[in-house]
Amino acid sequence: LNTRRSGYNVKQFVRDKFTSTTYPDAGAITGDDTVGNLPLYPYTWVSVSGLDSTGAAYMGRKAQRALVVKALKAAISTNMTIREEDNFFNLIAAPGYPELQTDMVGLNNERNQTAFIIGDTPLRLGPDADTITSWQNDNNGTGFATGDGLTTSDEYLGVYYPSCQTTDLSGSLVVQPPSHMILRTTLRSDEVSYPWLAAAGTRRGLIANATNIGYLNKTTGEFVTIKNRVAIRDVLYENQINPLAYFTGLGLLNYGNKSSFASNTAMDRMNVGRLVAYIRYQ
């Protein structure tokens, strides 16, 4: 693959790539256009999107995404302000980036588990049992770097499915991850009740900031609307993923209250995790 000409790779311009400092064994001047084995011009474009677990280069949207994820991970790991005790928050999310769930769990652990994490499933995750189960099992360990597999299980993390269609500030249709709906639904529930009451079901789980739920077709890129039928909701719940669903006469609802931590204790419930986090902070 000629990556110099490829439009499916992400590169970074490095001004001093070829220098005697970075290549001390290059040798002396041997001609008009080289300095030993060094090019006359030290600058070049370097591929920065990296390789997947098989050693293949990321290309296209995955190349772009790998670079963004790397920057987001660095932002979480180096930000000391969000680790200060005086800065309190009880919800953590990185909408649209399931890859950051491990980093958010780590951040919450450093903050003595005083918050709960709202986790996403990928926009392109289809509504069939095999695909959902494969993603929940980390796609046999091959996909997490691009959000195609879940590796995080934690008492203070809740994962949701599917994504949604809504409008932006200009009124145009856009696709958003599940956390777009759950963050607002949880906040609205907290306004009228308490963090230890589940933001789910017909009383506190109504979703008011989306018009449809569904997923992005991997081939066409089009948004496919679904209602999230009962068979898929069962598969999701068995895999510790909270289903969002459409019910005729009721509308869109958050129909799940599980953490991603599978256990036989009460800590596999989101509202219990939020209660413990609240008490710990107080």
Side-chain angles (χ1 to χ4, degrees), residues 124-132 161-162 214-215 224 226 228-229 232:
R124 290 170 173 78
L125 186 63
D128 62 89
D130 290 342
T131 302
I132 291 170
Y161 177 86
Y215 66 100
V224 181
I226 62 174
N228 221 8
R229 63 189 186 275
I232 295 302

Side-chain angles (χ1 to χ4, degrees), residues 20 23-30 35-38:
S20 57
Y23 294 92
D25 299 326
I29 298 176
T30 59
V35 180
N37 294 324
L38 296 177

